Amino acid sequence: MQADYAIIGGTGVYDPAMLENAERHEIDTPFGKAHVTIGTYAGRRVAFMPRHGYTHSVAPHKINYRANIRALKQIGVHTVLATAAVGSLKEEHRPGDLLLVDDFLDMTKSRPTTFYEGAPEGVVHIDLSDAYCGRTRNHLLETAQAQGIAISNGGVYVCTEGPRFETPAEIRLYSQWGGSVVGMTSVPEVVLAKESEMCYATVAMITNYCTGISKHPLTHAEVVETMRDNVQKIRELFFHAIER
Ligand code: HPA
């Protein structure tokens, strides 16, 4: 059981059908079990992990992020390409657009956020000046340009606890703080990948304007529909990025 790359599929990205000779595995880690499908993609060994489970049954605050990232580390993954459905705080990031996020604001409340809780692993303070791996982001950007896939480069992902959507006041605050998009899952995933010394990048798909910016109440159905209509762009981008 081995893979070099992993794709972590967020909301609307559950289908490992793009992998050839795919096999499902359950991986034991010190933090619990994780589920991956491992196969060949663009000639390389790739692990696919649906973040919310294959049937979207795990809520954002209940995801076992440590088991997921440790499992990928155990099977040899060096680069993780993650997708994320996000709401937009900015007029210019429209539903259906792609954004390569390069920083985050952590508004989560109840999640284990580190592999290092003290003895016996010790206490570790990692540097996050390049939270989402710059080298992997550049590679994705160059791939998108070569394939004619439109993507914005750079933005701040505000990670909320969920599973509820935000209030208008929260959204006003996140805008003032310099956020670009809002989602519920990038933290602690990106942090744990960094602690594991893996290259990790997120391609965010804008699925809606955030609460108070949008003219209508937000629903999960809106998020899923926008994702479904545009997910092919992410598949293509990841395929070519792994192939190059
Ligand atoms: N807020 C939080 N998470 C989200 C949103 C949103 O507006 N859209 C998709 N995921």
Side-chain angles (χ1 to χ4, degrees), residues 85-88 160 165-166 182-184 207-211 218 223:
V86 295
S88 172
T160 64
F165 290 120
E166 300 71 39
V182 182
M184 302 176 190
T207 54
N208 55 279
Y209 283 114
C210 284
T211 312
L218 180 53
V223 170

Side-chain angles (χ1 to χ4, degrees), residues 7 18 41-42 81 98 140 143-144 146-150 230-244:
I7 294 173
M18 51 215 190
Y41 189 56
L81 306 179
L98 298 182
L140 285 164
T143 305
Q147 296 300 320
I149 299 168
N230 295 280
V231 72
Q232 190 54 27
K233 285 194 285 194
I234 300 187
R235 287 221 180 95
E236 229 174 278
L237 175 57
F238 282 3
F239 184 85
H240 289 288
I242 289 172
E243 189 181 39
R244 285 172 93 218

Side-chain angles (χ1 to χ4, degrees), residues 1-5 71-79 198:
M1 208 190 325
Q2 185 277 330
D4 298 309
Y5 294 85
L72 298 181
K73 186 71 179 174
Q74 282 176 201
I75 61 172
V77 167
H78 57 70
T79 301
M198 292 194 276

Side-chain angles (χ1 to χ4, degrees), residues 1-227:
M1 208 190 325
Q2 185 277 330
D4 298 309
Y5 294 85
I7 294 173
I8 300 184
T11 297
V13 186
Y14 313 115
D15 183 10
M18 51 215 190
L19 299 179
E20 293 161 27
N21 305 318
E23 280 182 20
R24 251 159 111 149
H25 299 274
E26 190 177 82
I27 301 176
D28 278 315
T29 79
F31 302 96
K33 292 183 191 306
H35 297 91
V36 290
T37 302
I38 303 176
T40 306
Y41 189 56
R44 305 197 195 267
R45 297 293 292 164
V46 176
F48 176 80
M49 180 177 265
R51 186 186 286 126
H52 298 273
Y54 290 99
T55 55
H56 200 105
S57 56
V58 189
H61 63 299
K62 293 286 189 192
I63 292 169
N64 192 339
Y65 296 95
R66 291 195 294 190
N68 287 353
I69 294 296
R70 179 56 59 86
L72 298 181
K73 186 71 179 174
Q74 282 176 201
I75 61 172
V77 167
H78 57 70
T79 301
V80 181
L81 306 179
T83 76
V86 295
S88 172
L89 292 165
K90 292 179 183 273
E91 190 67 40
E92 68 262 29
H93 297 316
R94 295 182 206 72
D97 286 356
L98 298 182
L99 172 68
L100 260 176
V101 294
D102 62 0
D103 208 343
F104 68 75
L105 284 168
D106 179 9
M107 300 304 295
T108 66
K109 294 176 180 151
S110 71
R111 312 171 181 193
T113 54
T114 179
F115 287 119
Y116 297 100
E117 306 269 26
E121 295 85 6
V123 177
V124 169
H125 305 282
I126 53 161
D127 170 58
L128 284 174
S129 49
D130 185 37
Y132 297 85
C133 171
R135 199 156 47 88
T136 310
R137 284 188 285 113
N138 281 339
H139 182 69
L140 285 164
L141 190 62
E142 284 168 17
T143 305
Q145 282 162 352
Q147 296 300 320
I149 299 168
I151 190 165
S152 300
N153 187 25
V156 176
Y157 181 122
V158 181
C159 192
T160 64
E161 182 67 3
R164 65 170 178 84
F165 290 120
E166 300 71 39
T167 66
E170 286 168 332
I171 290 304
R172 283 195 298 275
L173 184 69
Y174 301 154
S175 292
Q176 284 166 15
W177 282 355
S180 313
V181 293
V182 182
M184 302 176 190
T185 55
S186 201
V187 183
E189 201 170 84
V190 59
V191 177
L192 296 168
K194 185 70 95 185
E195 284 187 348
S196 307
E197 299 182 303
M198 292 194 276
C199 305
Y200 176 102
T202 293
V203 173
M205 160 80 69
I206 318 294
T207 54
N208 55 279
Y209 283 114
C210 284
T211 312
I213 298 174
S214 172
K215 307 267 181 289
H216 51 265
L218 180 53
T219 64
H220 183 62
E222 177 180 352
V223 170
V224 172
E225 273 164 35
T226 314
M227 202 70 203

